Amino acid sequence: MDETIAEFIKRTILKIPMTEMTTILKAWDFLSENQLQTVNFRQRKESVVQHLVELCEENNASLNDAALLDIICEDVDLFDMKQFKSSFKKVLQRALKNVTVSFRDAEENAVWIRIAWGTQYTKPNQYRPTYVVYYSQTPYAFTSLSTLKSNIPLLGQALTIASKHHEIVKMDLRSRYLDSLKAIVFKQYNQNFETHNSTTPLQERSLGLHVNMDSRIIHENAMEKERVQRVTQETFGDHPQPQLEFAQYKLETKFRNGSILAEREEPLRCLIKFSSPHLLEALKSLAPAGIADAPLSPLLTCIPNKKMNYFKIRDK
Amino acid sequence: MDSYDAPQLTPRQSASSRPENYFIGATPLQKRLESVRKQTPFVLTPPRRKIPQCSQLQEDVDPQKVAFLLHKQWTLYSLTPLYKFSYTHLKEYSRLLSAFIVSEKQKGLAVEVGEDFNIKVIFSPLLGMKGTQKDSEAFLVQILSKSQLPSENREGKVLWTGWFCCIFGDSLLETVSEDFTCLPLFLANGAESNTAIIGTWFQKTFDCYFSPLAINAFNLSWMAAMWTACKMDHYMATTEFLWSVPCSPQSLDISYAIHPEDAKALWDSVHKTPGEVTQEEVDLFMDCLYSHFHRHFKIHLSATRLVRVSTSVASAHTDGRIKILCPKYLIGVLAYLTELAIFQIE
């Protein structure tokens, strides 16, 4: 066996976690039952690997065989839904004893999880469950948190362990519409914009000028109106906005207006909340309506890009 | 219930006395009335109002009753003067109104499922709830459910409360004859159907007229400024404003809450005239809030509609709803509302 192949096989096997070693080797089906039985898997990993590489030499492993092993390792790395579910359930049951966990597979590698929470001594409350939607191919999960604050860390732990990630971080993004959250998080809302290719000139489209208009009538501020439309479109795009209901800003910034409060060092502590059945569409309409300047503040326009709708703003 | 002694109604003031003497800073309304009466040209001067202070007369008000009136949502109405209303007949009014309510409900005009017809009505005076001695005495009307069990509290549960009062209502008093009692401010708490029935009875019995009292953005700004100006030992609530943005197709609400100490600091920096609030100061105070907001969001709040203001003293909604939180400034808040009510009646 070529030295490079031996090295490659050694490194590939080293990457395999011990818990999966036998599974993978069996799937590879390159070393025989008898050969595998001669290996003491309880040794230190380096020794196990050493022994396995020697066995591969015996069988005269080729580059193809090594490549196959590599593919199998990748395959097993891919998400195992069954394992996720069982692991998730185990974590919760070990901690709480009384908990009802149900799963439903959905489209796009999504799994819906329903959890009814109890405690060590009380039965699970079926009327206030928590729902989680986990997209296995992504590092995102969406939860509806109608549950006691005390259960949240446990939920986070279960998700992290079962999905084999390192940690879970709560995002400052909330909405009543799962599809909107998905659109923002997976950047799906931009697709229309990228493929959109309009041939009508911007002027006609956005100002709705009529062809038969009396030429004696001049639109005051036509230039400014056009600029506002253009800037708004650049910021928001032509596509429908994802549906969010609110955005919240905690401000701690100094007041700056001439002589008023000029000597005051401390900032003003404000909490601003925007709410609307369709917040982004409403914000989009503000500049054209003359209620806001164009371009709108980046604090507002960054919401889909930053995937946040809860902000803390301080003076730099 | 003890019989109630009618207050001595002071004789009508002669036209030569000026209402301005009774407190600093006549309201624009009073000035207008004066000039109309005397047929002098009316000059619009910038209005100013006294910052609410703890009223002397308020010391007399039963603290239990005050506690009952605070922290409740009241819907506001203006009420034209009552014809031939007598404070000595309160018991009789109770009886008549009870009977009226029961008959209306039995007619099925106001149907609420599971309604108990075992109700009674109580008229009770609110001593001390006035601005000057000339103000008519305030009183409460309450609908209580009659308790079934004799062992329970005799009074039963309060289902609905209506509150008639007049705070610094001199200008209205001047314009009516002795047969009329002026209680231009009416506040109601409880089911809308009950308010309607009570209103109907009063209108029929005393030939008066109730009208819902809305509060426009201009007055809401004044309230916000005045209540921020009030001296507080400690703050119970954050100072908050709510704007409604007229954009289509979706509505947008903007809530702007500011720490009450910071609001006070901002006000103090703007405030120049001791003891009083001027139009200029109100405008400047609001402009400061607008500019701070614009700096961050590039949105012109002045182009939107102010819908609600809330402070540790009281909160008010443009639809004519109010909640009073601070007992110290109860009279002050009512004085402003009385002024708005009188303005609407005129």
Side-chain angles (χ1 to χ4, degrees), chain B residues 1 12 60 105 110 187 208 255 293 305 308-309:
Chain B
M1 204 165 62
R12 292 265 162 265
D60 299 333
K105 298 217 170 184
L187 307 94
C208 58
S255 146
F293 189 88
R305 197 167 72 101
R308 183 172 182 269
V309 301

Side-chain angles (χ1 to χ4, degrees), chain B residues 233-249:
Chain B
D233 296 324
H234 63 275
Y235 291 101
M236 290 181 287
T238 188
T239 302
E240 192 179 336
F241 299 80
L242 182 65
W243 279 274
S244 172
V245 183
C247 59
S248 69

Side-chain angles (χ1 to χ4, degrees), chain B residues 13-208:
Chain B
Q13 295 286 317
S14 58
S16 57
S17 79
R18 305 173 71 77
E20 289 95 328
N21 290 337
Y22 291 105
F23 46 87
I24 303 167
T27 64
L29 175 64
Q30 285 156 330
K31 287 194 172 151
R32 246 179 63 194
L33 288 173
E34 270 296 292
S35 70
V36 164
R37 225 173 285 130
K38 295 196 168 166
Q39 291 175 336
T40 51
F42 175 60
V43 174
L44 188 65
T45 51
R48 35 188 70 229
R49 290 188 174 87
K50 217 165 82 111
I51 296 177
Q53 304 292 329
C54 189
S55 155
Q56 277 294 93
L57 289 162
Q58 200 183 322
E59 315 272 305
D60 299 333
V61 187
D62 181 357
Q64 248 197 342
K65 290 223 165 114
V66 169
F68 177 78
L69 299 171
L70 294 180
H71 298 284
K72 272 193 176 62
Q73 176 107 291
W74 299 96
T75 308
L76 301 171
Y77 298 82
S78 65
L79 178 60
T80 58
L82 304 167
Y83 183 65
K84 291 224 191 301
F85 174 88
S86 165
Y87 288 92
T88 54
H89 291 128
L90 294 184
K91 252 193 185 151
E92 198 187 314
Y93 296 152
S94 302
R95 201 174 41 80
L96 289 170
L97 185 48
S98 287
F100 181 76
I101 292 175
V102 172
S103 78
E104 288 293 304
K105 298 217 170 184
Q106 281 175 343
K107 262 194 247 173
L109 283 176
V111 179
E112 275 170 35
V113 179
E115 179 108 39
D116 183 13
F117 284 177
N118 260 344
I119 54 109
K120 72 174 174 181
V121 176
I122 296 187
F123 279 61
S124 53
L126 269 177
L127 295 168
M129 189 75 70
K130 40 163 77 172
T132 66
Q133 284 298 350
K134 279 170 59 184
D135 285 327
S136 306
E137 209 70 43
F139 67 92
L140 285 181
V141 176
Q142 288 177 298
I143 302 179
L144 292 90
S145 67
K146 268 196 219 150
S147 177
Q148 303 290 24
L149 304 168
S151 58
E152 277 182 15
N153 187 349
R154 271 183 303 146
E155 290 292 291
K157 201 169 88 129
V158 175
L159 299 173
W160 180 96
T161 308
W163 172 15
F164 297 77
C165 64
C166 179
I167 315 286
F168 294 116
D170 289 33
S171 57
L172 191 60
L173 217 61
E174 305 270 327
T175 65
V176 299
S177 74
E178 289 204 17
D179 291 327
F180 286 92
T181 309
C182 290
L183 292 160
L185 185 62
F186 174 67
L187 307 94
N189 171 274
E192 175 69 39
S193 55
N194 286 327
T195 310
I197 295 178
I198 307 276
T200 309
W201 184 82
F202 267 86
Q203 285 178 172
K204 272 181 15 180
T205 315
F206 302 109
D207 198 23
C208 58

